Amino acid sequence: QVRLVESGGGLVQAGGSLRLSCVASGRTSTNWAMGWFRQAPGKEREFVATIKLNGGTTRYADIVKGRFTISRDNAKNTAYLQMNSLEPEDTAVYYCAADSTIITSRLSLPDAYDYWGQGTQVTVSS
């Protein structure tokens, strides 16, 4: 069994920063890709960023490039999402996801991930 627990969400003013964390426990794997997705009310879940624990390959959604940075600490089975220059449009529930069998071309697809956290709310006020 795998468990992903997100933390670090909250309320921040536009232009501010937050750092999300996702801690994995259980049957973890060094071959995992760990990703962040988000879902705003009335919208579909969308890809934000992902990182492969083995090698550190990263991918970002165009709308967050240059503002968000994903990183990982393999020893702690933890992925981070540093979010800077936040905008009201970034308001959403942010979910951590992980899987060990994703090919590179599918890293941004939600259905490629088997394991999901419960989500953490990020609210950016204008």
Side-chain angles (χ1 to χ4, degrees), residues 28-78:
T28 59
S29 170
T30 56
N31 291 321
W32 273 10
M34 294 185 74
W36 289 96
F37 293 78
R38 68 188 185 186
Q39 189 165 17
K43 295 187 177 181
E44 293 187 352
R45 190 167 297 190
E46 64 176 358
F47 169 72
V48 175
T50 191
I51 187 167
K52 284 193 169 184
L53 299 188
N54 187 2
T57 300
T58 58
R59 294 287 186 275
Y60 294 93
D62 288 344
I63 56 174
V64 304
K65 280 182 181 177
R67 299 189 299 124
F68 292 9
T69 302
I70 191 169
S71 61
R72 90 288 193 199
D73 185 332
N74 289 4
K76 296 181 179 180
N77 290 322
T78 300

Side-chain angles (χ1 to χ4, degrees), residues 1 11 14 24 51 78 87 105 113:
Q1 190 72 354
L11 173 64
I51 187 167
T78 300
E87 304 167 352
S105 62
Y113 294 79

Side-chain angles (χ1 to χ4, degrees), residues 4 23 27 29 43 46 49 59-61 74 81 89-90 99 105 107 117 124:
L4 303 176
V23 180
R27 297 184 64 181
S29 170
K43 295 187 177 181
E46 64 176 358
R59 294 287 186 275
Y60 294 93
N74 289 4
L81 186 67
E89 293 73 22
D90 295 317
D99 202 281
S105 62
L107 285 172
V124 184

Side-chain angles (χ1 to χ4, degrees), residues 36 48 55 80 93-94:
W36 289 96
V48 175
Y80 305 96
V93 177
Y94 282 69

